[in-house]
Amino acid sequence: MLERIHRVKGIGLLHDADGRQHSLKKATLVYADNGVGKSTLASIFRSCASNDPDLIRRRKTIDGNCQPEVLLQFSNGQQSSFTNANWNNSHPELLVFDADFVEKNVYAGGQVSTDQRKNFLQFALGTRAVNAQREYDHADNDALEASQLVRDLTNQLTGFHQGVSLQQFRDLAKVPDADNQIAALNERIVEAQNIGLVQAKALPRKLDEPAFDVTQIFRIFASSLADIDLAAEQRVKQHLDSHANPNLERWISDGHAYGETKSCPYCDQPLQEVDLIQAYRSYFNQDYNELKASVANLVRLIANAAPETIVERLQASFATASATIDGWQEHVEIPPPEFDHEAAKEKLAAIRERLNTLRLTKEANLLESVGSDDAKNELIGSWGELVGLVRSCNDGIDNAVNLITAYKAGLAAANLDGLRQAITRLEFAKTRHRQDVLDLFSQLDAALAREVATKAEKQNKKDTLNAIMQTTLERYKGRINQLLSAFGAQFSIPNIDFNYRGGLRSNYNLQMRGSNIELTGGIPDFKTSLSEGDKRTLAFAFFIASVESDSDLADRVVVIDDPMCSLDLNRKQQTRLILKRVHDNCEQLIVLVHDIHFMRSLRDEILRTSPPQDIACVKLKTVANRYSNFDAIDIDKECESAYFKCHRVLGEYLNGAAQSSMDVARSIRPMLEGYLHRRFPGLINSGLLFGQVIDAIKNAPQGSPLVHAQNITDELTEINSYAGQFHHDTNPSADQVQIIDGELRQFVERSINVVHAGMV
C-alpha cells in the first residue's frame, strides 16, 4: 500500500510539493481543480508502476529550477525514489486508470488504432494469460532468431553458388581430379572454335522420284469407231487392201479432208457417181476425224509421260548430292550413294520404244483397239524398276544425311557453352568442398534443426495461449457488457477475438441499435457514433473488467484519475458503486477527482462498511507562483451550499470561534435568503433582492403560504437595514463600513432566532 507521498519536485505544477503530513489510507481520495496537477500525480504513479522514466521526464516543470524528483513511501518500509531520471524501485502492483491508459490501450483522437488493440490484451488478459503470452513471445522471438540465422547463413552461401540452387550446390559430389578435367575441357574449347562453320554446311538432297501416268495414252490406244457404214467400210477396205500399203488409209483420209471437189485433183476426171468416192465420204466422217486427231496427239503425250531428259535430270541431282556428301567426308566417313545411270537410260529407252510401237500400230489401224491391260501393266512395272533405281540412290543419300546429322549433334553436345558449363560445374564442385563452405553447411544444418524445434515450440506456446485467451476474453467480454449495461450505455461488445497479424492484438467490434460500429473509419464509426462520455465509459469498463478479473487484486493499489469525466448522473452513481466494490477487494484505492460532490458521495459510500480511520481525504491546492502542493480538506465544508455555509459561519461566531467580522456580517443576508427559499420552495423568485423578497411576503394575497411569514417582515426589514450596508449591491462603499462587534452579535442572534423560531 502507498502510505505517503514524501515529496514531488520539478514535475509539472508539483514544483516542490510536500505530502509528508498526509497519511494515505486504504481509501484515499484526492481533490483538485482542473489544471492543478491531478493528472501529473497519476502519471507519476503510472511511471512508478511501469518503470517508465519518460512519463516523468516529459512533465518536467517548464519554469522550475529543480530536477524531477519523487519519493514515495510504501508498506513495510519500502521506498521508491525517482532521481537522476530513473526509479530505484518500480511497483507494478499500481494499476492506473488515467488519460495515458485510455490513449495507449483504448482510443485516441476518436479512433482505435492497431497499437491500441495490441496493448488492450496486455491489461485485459490477467496474470496467467500474460505469462502465457510472455512465453509465446519468447518462443516467437526464438523462432524469429532461428529463421534469421538460417537466412543469414543461406545468404552467406549465396555468394558461392550463384547460377544454381542451394540444394543443387549442396548435392555436388567431390571431384578428385577437377583441375585436370578443367584443363582438358579448356583444350576442347579451343578445338570447338570452328564448330559454327561446320554446322552451317548444307546437307545432301534426295533425287525426286519421277511420276509415270499412261492412262490417257492407253485410253486412246483402246479407242475405236462402231457407227461407220458397213458397206462403205467394206468397199474402202477392199480398195485399201488391193494396194497393200499400210499408210494408204491415212493418206486418203488426209486427202479427203481437203473438202468436196467435182473432179479428181490428179486426173481431173469427174467424181460424181463414183461409188468409191461415196464410200470415202461415209467412211471418213466426224468421229473418224476426232479419233485420228487423238492418235496424232500420242507423240506429245508419250514425250510428256516418259521424256528423254528425265534420266539426265536424275543424273544431275545425283551429281549434286554426291558433291555435297564428298564435302562432308573430311569430317565423317560416309559410304557414297550409287545411281545406275546406264540402267536407267536403258529402262527409259525400252519404255519409250514400247509406247511408240503401240502408237505406230494404232496409227496404222485407226479403227482398231490396240494396247491391252497386260501391255499397260508391263510398262508400269518397267517404270517401277526405273523408280527403284532412284529409291536405291535415295536410300544411300538418307544414310549420308543420318551420319552427318549424328555428327552435327555430337558437335552441338560439345559446343562452347556446354564446355564452359562443364568447367563451371567443376569449379562449383571444388568450391562446394572447400573447408569454409563445409563449415557454413554444418552451421546451416544446425540452424535448420533449431528452426524446426523453435517453430514447434512456438506452435505449442501459441496453442496454450489461444486456449487461455479464448476463455479469458469470453469472460472479460461478458463483464464489460455487464458494466456497459449498468452504465446505461446504448452499445455493447458482441465479440472480442484476437489474431497474430503484425503481432498479437485484439479484434473486437461495437454494436449499437443493431448496427456494427467500425473502430476506424467506415459508416457508422467509433469517432462519430459514440459521445465523449460513451468513449470514456468504454475505457473505464475495459479497465474495471481487467481489475476485477485480476487474481491478485487483494495486493493491488488501484489508482483512478478523474473517473467522472463526461459522465452523466446515472453513470456517476454506477461509478461510485463500482469504485466501492473495487475498494472492498483491493489493497488500496486512490481516486483523483475534480468533482467535490462526487468525492463526498464516494466517501459516504465507503463509510457504509468501512471505519473513518481507513479513509484519507487530501487536496492539491494552488500555492506561490501558481504551483501546487498537498493540503488537508474538509469535504463537508467544501460541499456546503451558500445557505449552510453562512449558517455555519454565524453559528461559529456566536460560539466564539475566530472569524472575520466582515465575513460574518456578509453572511447574515444570504443565510436569511436561503432560509426563506427553503421554507417556501418555488414561491420566491430567486432573482429578487432581499428587500424585494420582504415586500413580496408583505404583499402576499390571502391563501398564499407566504402570509405565514408576515409576522417576521418587520424583523427582516430591520435586519436587512443593518446587513445591507455590507453588500455592494446596496452600498457601493460596503468595504469601508466600520463593524461594531456588539452590534454585529445582536443582529446575528436575531437572524439565527428567525431561522430557529420562525418568529420574532
Side-chain angles (χ1 to χ4, degrees):
M1 185 169 76
L2 179 62
E3 295 182 344
R4 207 174 300 274
I5 303 172
H6 281 281
R7 65 177 176 272
V8 179
K9 290 186 176 183
I11 306 174
L13 295 177
L14 302 177
H15 180 250
D16 190 11
D18 185 349
R20 288 174 293 178
Q21 297 180 1
H22 308 284
S23 177
L24 308 185
K25 304 296 182 181
K26 176 176 172 60
T28 298
L29 310 181
V30 181
Y31 170 77
D33 291 329
N34 287 322
V36 177
K38 178 168 49 63
S39 296
T40 299
L41 190 58
S43 288
I44 291 172
F45 294 148
R46 176 174 291 281
S47 176
C48 182
S50 60
N51 195 18
D52 183 358
D54 283 341
L55 291 172
I56 290 180
R57 287 199 291 261
R58 289 198 297 265
R59 288 182 175 268
K60 184 178 183 298
T61 302
I62 295 174
D63 58 348
N65 52 15
C66 299
Q67 289 300 314
E69 183 180 345
V70 180
L71 179 58
L72 304 177
Q73 179 69 50
F74 288 86
S75 303
N76 302 321
Q78 298 181 54
Q79 287 188 338
S80 285
S81 64
F82 183 88
T83 55
N84 298 321
N86 281 293
W87 288 97
N88 68 334
N89 289 311
S90 63
H91 281 267
E93 72 271 17
L94 285 163
L95 306 179
V96 183
F97 175 80
D98 61 355
D100 285 339
F101 169 85
V102 175
E103 184 173 339
K104 181 180 179 182
N105 302 299
V106 186
Y107 73 93
Q111 301 291 344
V112 182
S113 70
T114 299
D115 286 341
Q116 287 157 349
R117 286 190 281 134
K118 287 181 181 178
N119 297 334
F120 169 88
L121 292 179
Q122 298 299 318
F123 74 85
L125 292 178
T127 304
R128 181 166 173 243
V130 169
N131 290 337
Q133 183 183 351
R134 187 179 299 113
E135 292 180 3
Y136 167 77
D137 290 341
H138 181 71
D140 185 37
N141 288 333
D142 286 347
L144 290 174
E145 289 176 1
S147 296
Q148 184 60 50
L149 180 58
V150 169
R151 286 193 294 271
D152 291 343
L153 291 169
T154 302
N155 289 337
Q156 290 182 54
L157 286 166
T158 299
F160 298 111
H161 68 86
Q162 291 185 359
V164 298
S165 69
L166 179 62
Q167 189 59 47
Q168 290 172 326
F169 183 59
R170 178 193 281 271
D171 293 341
L172 287 174
K174 187 174 183 179
V175 182
D177 62 339
D179 289 334
N180 293 334
Q181 292 189 36
I182 290 172
L185 287 170
N186 281 321
E187 292 178 0
R188 290 185 61 191
I189 287 176
V190 174
E191 296 174 354
Q193 296 295 327
N194 295 324
I195 286 179
L197 296 175
V198 176
Q199 292 281 16
K201 293 180 67 173
L203 294 174
R205 295 183 58 184
K206 294 192 296 184
L207 280 60
D208 294 331
E209 292 185 8
F212 183 62
D213 184 4
V214 292
T215 302
Q216 186 176 1
I217 292 174
F218 272 82
R219 185 182 300 116
I220 294 174
F221 284 162
S223 61
S224 62
L225 294 179
D227 56 349
I228 297 176
D229 183 71
L230 294 179
E233 179 181 7
Q234 185 177 8
R235 180 72 179 89
V236 171
K237 287 291 185 182
Q238 289 176 352
H239 176 72
L240 293 176
D241 291 341
S242 65
H243 290 280
N245 188 337
N247 295 318
L248 180 62
E249 181 177 352
R250 179 179 178 185
W251 182 81
I252 295 173
S253 171
D254 291 341
H256 178 72
Y258 284 107
E260 294 291 338
T261 59
K262 294 181 179 180
S263 60
C264 174
Y266 281 99
C267 62
D268 200 25
Q269 293 183 25
L271 299 178
Q272 292 181 357
E273 303 301 331
V274 177
D275 60 342
L276 184 59
I277 295 301
Q278 294 299 325
Y280 286 159
R281 290 171 179 168
S282 176
Y283 185 77
F284 297 116
N285 59 16
Q286 180 65 29
D287 290 338
Y288 179 87
N289 289 330
E290 290 178 357
L291 175 60
K292 187 174 67 173
S294 296
V295 172
N297 195 37
L298 284 172
V299 174
R300 182 183 64 81
L301 292 176
I302 291 172
N304 290 338
E308 294 181 356
T309 60
I310 190 168
V311 174
E312 301 306 323
R313 289 200 302 271
L314 290 172
Q315 179 62 27
S317 296
F318 169 72
T320 301
S322 296
T324 302
I325 291 170
D326 289 342
W328 283 98
Q329 295 291 358
E330 62 177 307
H331 305 293
V332 58
E333 184 177 351
I334 305 173
E338 295 182 355
F339 177 63
D340 192 342
H341 176 251
E342 293 301 326
K345 286 178 62 177
E346 290 177 2
K347 290 186 180 297
L348 178 63
I351 292 169
R352 287 178 57 81
E353 181 179 0
R354 177 62 173 151
L355 286 172
N356 283 320
T357 299
L358 291 172
R359 173 180 63 78
L360 293 174
T361 302
K362 181 63 175 176
E363 288 177 350
N365 302 278
L366 284 176
L367 300 181
E368 295 179 4
S369 175
V370 299
S372 65
D373 287 341
D374 291 339
K376 179 179 178 182
N377 292 334
E378 179 185 348
L379 281 170
I380 292 174
S382 297
W383 189 269
E385 293 174 357
L386 174 62
V387 171
L389 295 175
V390 174
R391 289 177 178 172
S392 176
C393 179
N394 282 341
D395 289 342
I397 295 174
D398 279 337
N399 181 57
V401 170
N402 291 335
L403 291 172
I404 294 170
T405 302
Y407 172 71
K408 291 176 70 175
L411 290 178
N415 62 22
L416 292 175
D417 289 341
L419 294 172
R420 292 189 181 105
Q421 289 173 6
I423 292 174
T424 300
R425 285 193 295 272
L426 289 169
E427 293 288 359
F428 275 141
K430 287 175 60 180
T431 303
R432 165 66 180 87
H433 293 278
R434 272 173 28 193
Q435 189 58 48
D436 56 340
V437 176
L438 292 173
D439 292 342
L440 283 175
F441 271 114
S442 296
Q443 296 173 37
L444 178 60
D445 290 339
L448 288 169
R450 181 169 180 266
E451 182 182 37
V452 171
T454 55
K455 285 184 176 179
E457 180 65 11
K458 173 184 173 181
Q459 187 60 47
N460 290 335
K461 298 300 183 184
K462 185 176 182 179
D463 293 342
T464 301
L465 178 59
N466 287 348
I468 295 174
M469 289 181 66
Q470 287 169 356
T471 302
T472 303
L473 290 178
E474 185 64 26
R475 183 172 62 248
Y476 186 62
K477 179 198 74 175
R479 181 55 184 149
I480 289 174
N481 285 329
Q482 289 177 358
L483 291 168
L484 293 176
S485 177
F487 281 127
Q490 296 295 311
F491 59 92
S492 63
I493 298 180
N495 182 54
I496 299 179
D497 202 351
F498 60 94
N499 59 60
Y500 294 86
R501 294 191 296 271
L504 183 62
R505 67 185 182 186
S506 65
N507 184 30
Y508 65 91
N509 63 303
L510 303 178
Q511 197 170 76
M512 178 183 288
R513 299 180 179 275
S515 296
N516 287 328
I517 307 299
E518 299 295 335
L519 297 183
T520 302
I523 299 175
D525 70 346
F526 182 86
K527 182 176 183 179
T528 58
S529 298
L530 271 67
S531 67
E532 288 306 311
D534 285 338
K535 295 169 188 173
R536 185 76 175 192
T537 297
L538 177 65
F540 190 58
F542 281 173
F543 180 81
I544 293 299
S546 174
V547 167
E548 291 181 340
S549 64
D550 191 337
S551 59
D552 297 321
L553 181 57
D555 299 322
R556 303 299 192 196
V557 176
V558 181
V559 180
I560 308 291
D561 176 26
D562 204 7
M564 307 318 302
C565 179
S566 302
L567 299 189
D568 56 25
L569 186 60
N570 172 63
R571 292 179 183 178
K572 289 181 180 180
Q573 167 69 10
Q574 293 300 323
T575 300
R576 184 170 63 251
L577 297 175
I578 289 169
L579 292 179
K580 169 61 167 60
R581 185 167 57 249
V582 171
H583 163 270
D584 293 343
N585 292 285
C586 70
E587 182 179 22
Q588 184 181 26
L589 174 67
I590 300 175
V591 183
L592 312 174
V593 298
H594 73 278
D595 185 336
I596 191 67
H597 296 282
F598 175 78
M599 183 175 178
R600 182 180 64 175
S601 64
L602 178 58
R603 179 206 63 183
D604 293 344
E605 188 70 38
I606 294 173
L607 281 173
R608 294 178 188 275
T609 57
S610 300
Q613 59 268 26
D614 286 347
I615 302 176
C617 295
V618 184
K619 75 173 181 179
L620 289 173
K621 68 175 182 179
T622 301
V623 295
N625 294 324
R626 302 190 69 179
Y627 294 136
S628 300
N629 202 355
F630 297 99
D631 196 10
I633 184 173
D634 187 332
I635 298 180
D636 293 320
K637 285 186 178 181
E638 294 289 341
C639 291
E640 285 178 333
S641 66
Y643 167 69
F644 284 107
K645 181 177 181 180
C646 291
H647 194 290
R648 177 179 54 78
V649 169
L650 296 181
E652 290 176 351
Y653 171 71
L654 292 178
N655 291 330
Q659 299 282 344
S660 165
S661 297
M662 182 60 75
D663 287 343
V664 174
R666 286 178 174 172
S667 297
I668 294 174
R669 196 172 75 176
M671 185 202 69
L672 292 173
E673 288 177 346
Y675 160 70
L676 292 173
H677 279 289
R678 282 161 176 77
R679 183 177 175 184
F680 302 105
L683 297 179
I684 299 175
N685 192 324
S686 60
L688 297 178
L689 297 176
F690 189 51
Q692 294 172 325
V693 172
I694 296 172
D695 290 339
I697 294 173
K698 286 180 180 180
N699 299 321
Q702 287 297 320
S704 171
L706 294 177
V707 299
H708 297 297
Q710 288 176 348
N711 63 327
I712 60 173
T713 54
D714 291 340
E715 179 70 356
L716 293 175
T717 299
E718 291 183 17
I719 295 173
N720 186 41
S721 296
Y722 171 76
Q725 63 183 323
F726 303 109
H727 295 274
H728 290 283
D729 57 352
T730 53
N731 181 15
S733 304
D735 293 336
Q736 302 174 11
V737 176
Q738 183 178 2
I739 300 175
I740 300 172
D741 186 65
E743 184 180 26
L744 175 61
R745 180 172 292 276
Q746 176 189 357
F747 278 99
V748 169
E749 289 175 345
R750 291 171 66 179
S751 299
I752 292 294
N753 185 64
V754 168
V755 172
H756 288 171
M759 62 181 66
V760 179

